[in-house]
Each structure stands twice: as structure tokens, then as C-alpha cells.
Amino acid sequence: MTITAPAPTVFETVESEVRSYCRAWPVVFERASGSRLYDEQGRSYLDFFAGAGSLNYGHNNPVLKRALLEYIEGDGITHALDMSTTAKRAFLETFQSTVLQPRGLPYKVMFPGPTGTNAVEAALKLARKVKGREAVVSFTNAFHGMSLGSLAVTGNAFKRAGAGIPLVHATPMPFDNYLGGRVPDFLWFERLLEDQGSGLNHPAAVIVETIQGEGGVNVARAEWLRGLANLCRRRDMLLIVDDVQMGCGRTGDFFSFEEAGIVPDIVTMSKSISGYGLPMALCLFKPELDVWEPGEHNGTFRGNNPAFVTATAALQAYWGDGALRQQTLVHGGRVESALRRLCADHERSGASYRGRGLVWGIEFTDKQRAEAVCRKAFEHGLLVETSGPEGEVVKLLPPLTLTADELDEGLDILARSVHETA
């Protein structure tokens, strides 16, 4: 009997080898709604990936979709660079009244381009311009983007190697608990700043994620973040919080740094700020830092007006009260309880968990186990990905709008997948 191999697909013959997610989930997806995707055969997949955090409100959220369709049908502006439009005005007014003013945040809003790395590049450039210094401090296992400036403050060796050139003007410091609590917080950092022979140039800024999603769901304690903010004030360094993945309610509060009670000098946002998965990013900063000359930093697609429309609708629908925040915290408690039981059952294999809100990770001593769990979960209809420097962590990033039944369904599939790979 002769077995004929299937013909290569157009994805294999035309698309670049750089593609990645499609290798982990080898089906062709056709449609999506809420917390689920459907392949072209009609099979349903529960999505605990959520566009890498770009779909906090789920796929094709009906409230946002209605606003978008009405805007398009009314011939609303689509592309506008940084021209003033009704859509941009509505977003800025809503963002100010719904997000900034209730939190007492004075930030100016910059539209740097459509992606998270655009926002990070703008933040780094602004910090260096304000302080007149080039050095920036980042942290072990950080991930801030794939353009050169963002890669320079990223920890992952594989990602950094893709730059092909030296990545300079950035110095890594230990993230919270990197040394297992054996060393007082910021001891090394403070010593380098004090020592004229350390070789560390006085940094213009420090950039940090409150939770390192790509780095392995590493959660910074509130007291560590407060200590970092205090260090930055004392040493004349700007504090940049990268909230690209952890902002827009992922941890419960709209900003992930709210729990720590700090006010960063600069904040970067993207991913779920548009609410619908449309490209959009923000760079927020204190008014006294707004030293840009007109056109000094720009980008062709920084005026994505359909994204402004869905972002405005998302803010109005989900952030006018505390309902989504409370639901996220309740769901987060359910996840924590489930992972506690799961890891207790697999204590011998070195399983451990960590997270906050609706971002959680399970780490395995056997660094190949996480990938096997994700493959098995996919077979059972659940999308989850790995994270961490060696892919040793299974990361859970479901939509914030999922139901309790969907959450339990996903956690049951996850537990089954962990058991089957033991």
C-alpha cells in the first residue's frame, strides 16, 4: 500500500520560516467569538492565550464590534497620522475621565505607533532626551519588544541574538526574587550606583514589568516595586513601567502597578488598549517630561482611528465601574485554588505555580514538560502557550470576560493535560 504525503500548504510554501504559533497549533482557524476559536472543520478551541494578551475582552466582543461597524458604515476616518479626528477626541476624553482622573494620574498621552515595541522605543528615547544620559537599566528575564532599542533591554538570549549587532546602552539588574531572597533588594544596584569604579554610567531610566509574562510569569512584590520607585527618585532616574501585556485589567486594576501604590514617570501600553485586537499603543508620561519637538518622534500608523473607536467603547463598557475588576479578582482566586491542588498532586515532579489576577504560570522542573502539556491541551481543545527563558512555564492568559463555566472547563483540561504528561 502506497501512502501519499499531503501536499505542502501555502503557509509552508509561501510564508516565512519565522512563523511560530501556527506550528504549535497546526490547524487553520476560521472564526472566533468570545473565549473560543473555531477551525475550518468547525472544531471549537477554548482560548487561554487571548492574542498574547491583546484580547482581554474576548474575540469579536459584540459591544466593540457594534461601535466599529457603525463607525465604518458612517465612513469614519480610518487613517489619519496624528491629525485631529472625532474618534481620537472621543478616546482621549474617555481615557482621561474614565482612567486617568479617577486615579489621580496626570499623564500626557502620546500615540507612538501601533505596537508595544513602538511605545517602548518612544519611552526610552524620551527618557534619554529628558535626562541627557544614554544608559538604561532593565531586569533579568525582561521582554520589551523586538526592535533594537527594546531588544537591548530584553533578557532573552534567543531574542537578543536575532538583532545581529551589539545591543548597547542597557544594563540588566536582578528582578525580584531572582536570587531566591538571599540578597536584600537592590543591594547590587545601589552599590554600582555608589561606586565610581563600577563601570555603570548613571542611568537615565529604569524599565520594568510588574509581572514578566514572556519571562515566565515572574511576579514582582508590591514592596519590591515601591522600593524600586524610591530608588529611582533618590538617584534621579526615571521609572518606566512596561504595561503592554499586564495593563488594561489583566491583574484586576486597569494598570498593573496600582496595587503597589506607585506612579511611574512613564508607562507603555498596547495589546488590549484597543479592546478589539486592532493595532494601537500609548506612551504615557508626566507633563513635565513632555519635551518633544513637533514631529520629533512619529509613525505613519499612529492614527488608527478604528482602534480609537473600539478602545473608547471598551473603556465605557468595562471601566465605568468596578465590575470587571472584581470579576477578574474572583476568577483569579479560582485559578489559584485550582493550580494549588494541581501542583500538590504533582509535587514530586517539581510543579509550582505563580501569578496574579488572570495571568498565571505553572513551572516544571523538567523543562520539556511545559511544551508537552501545551501540546496535550491543544489536543483536548485548549490553547495555552509556554513562556520563560527555556519554555519551562505553561502560561494562562484567558480573556477577562470569560464565564465561570469556561474558566472551569479550561482548568479541567489543563489538569487532565498535566496528568497525562506525568
Side-chain angles (χ1 to χ4, degrees):
M1 178 179 178
T2 302
I3 299 177
T4 304
T9 68
V10 68
F11 306 110
E12 295 167 308
T13 59
V14 178
E15 191 177 2
S16 166
E17 292 298 319
V18 78
R19 65 192 187 279
S20 61
Y21 289 114
C22 58
R23 300 179 192 273
W25 303 321
V27 297
V28 179
F29 293 105
E30 185 174 48
R31 61 189 180 88
S33 178
S35 302
R36 298 185 187 274
L37 290 96
Y38 301 84
D39 66 22
E40 60 184 350
Q41 306 305 319
R43 186 185 180 192
S44 169
Y45 298 83
L46 189 56
D47 186 6
F48 274 30
F49 171 66
S54 296
L55 296 165
N56 282 4
Y57 311 105
H59 295 270
N60 289 304
N61 183 293
V63 175
L64 313 190
K65 180 166 63 176
R66 186 181 312 114
L68 179 61
L69 289 174
E70 290 176 356
Y71 184 76
I72 293 172
E73 289 173 347
D75 288 335
I77 301 292
T78 296
H79 179 274
L81 295 160
D82 69 354
M83 291 182 283
S84 299
T85 65
T86 55
K88 183 198 282 189
R89 180 175 61 200
F91 169 74
L92 286 170
E93 290 175 346
T94 304
F95 189 69
Q96 183 179 44
S97 63
T98 305
V99 175
L100 297 181
Q101 287 180 344
R103 292 163 178 79
L105 297 173
Y107 295 135
K108 298 290 290 290
V109 179
M110 175 184 179
F111 301 100
T115 71
T117 199
N118 292 141
V120 170
E121 295 284 356
L124 297 175
K125 184 189 290 188
L126 179 61
R128 286 167 171 144
K129 179 179 174 65
V130 168
K131 292 299 183 184
R133 304 190 294 267
E134 62 188 30
V136 172
V137 163
S138 57
F139 290 94
T140 50
N141 290 314
F143 179 81
H144 295 290
M146 297 298 287
S147 50
L148 292 181
S150 299
L151 278 176
V153 291
T154 287
N156 187 284
F158 176 72
K159 298 286 196 284
R160 290 175 62 88
I165 61 171
L167 297 169
V168 297
H169 309 310
T171 302
M173 292 292 165
F175 191 72
D176 190 16
N177 203 41
Y178 184 73
L179 299 173
R182 297 187 302 273
V183 177
D185 296 339
F186 313 114
L187 178 67
W188 174 242
F189 194 176
E190 289 257 31
R191 183 72 181 108
L192 291 180
L193 289 169
E194 293 168 354
D195 186 359
Q196 295 300 306
S198 70
L200 176 65
N201 293 331
H202 189 181
V206 175
I207 184 167
V208 68
E209 302 154 277
T210 63
I211 301 174
Q212 296 179 327
E214 299 304 310
V217 193
N218 305 313
V219 182
R221 294 166 297 139
E223 56 265 36
W224 187 86
L225 291 168
R226 287 192 290 268
L228 178 61
N230 179 266
L231 175 61
C232 287
R233 281 194 300 272
R234 289 188 288 107
R235 296 291 184 175
D236 187 31
M237 302 177 295
L238 297 180
L239 176 60
I240 305 169
V241 168
D242 182 340
D243 234 6
V244 167
Q245 188 171 80
M246 297 304 155
C248 299
R250 177 55 56 183
T251 63
D253 295 314
F254 186 85
F255 295 106
S256 69
F257 56 81
E258 290 183 56
E259 181 189 61
I262 63 173
V263 180
D265 299 293
I266 304 175
V267 180
T268 61
M269 305 193 78
S270 185
K271 290 192 182 285
S272 277
I273 188 60
S274 82
Y276 203 75
L278 299 175
M280 178 179 170
L282 304 177
C283 186
L284 314 175
F285 39 81
K286 294 178 178 179
E288 62 269 25
L289 304 181
D290 193 8
V291 297
W292 293 114
E293 296 291 335
E296 188 176 6
H297 186 92
N298 55 28
T300 303
F301 293 100
R302 65 195 184 279
N304 185 356
N305 281 253
F308 297 157
V309 170
T310 54
T312 301
L315 294 176
Q316 292 171 340
Y318 294 103
W319 293 101
D321 57 29
L324 182 64
R325 176 185 182 275
Q326 184 60 31
Q327 177 178 290
T328 298
L329 296 177
V330 170
H331 282 347
R334 294 169 74 96
V335 176
E336 184 174 14
S337 296
L339 296 188
R340 183 186 303 115
R341 294 191 299 269
L342 180 60
C343 290
D345 290 342
H346 292 266
E347 186 176 2
R348 289 185 178 181
S349 63
S352 60
Y353 68 94
R354 52 186 177 263
R356 184 156 69 93
L358 273 178
V359 52
W360 291 86
I362 309 175
E363 182 174 359
F364 298 94
T365 302
D366 176 0
K367 298 185 185 299
Q368 307 303 313
R369 180 87 175 278
E371 183 177 354
V373 169
C374 291
R375 284 198 304 268
K376 186 62 67 173
F378 174 72
E379 293 175 10
H380 295 313
L382 175 69
L383 302 185
V384 285
E385 70 163 340
T386 63
S387 69
E390 299 179 71
E392 71 276 21
V393 176
V394 176
K395 182 168 69 172
L396 310 182
L397 211 68
L400 307 183
T401 52
L402 87 171
T403 65
D405 287 344
E406 289 172 332
L407 181 61
D408 289 343
E409 178 187 348
L411 292 172
D412 287 345
I413 294 175
L414 176 67
R416 178 182 174 188
S417 302
V418 172
H419 292 318
E420 291 179 359
T421 57

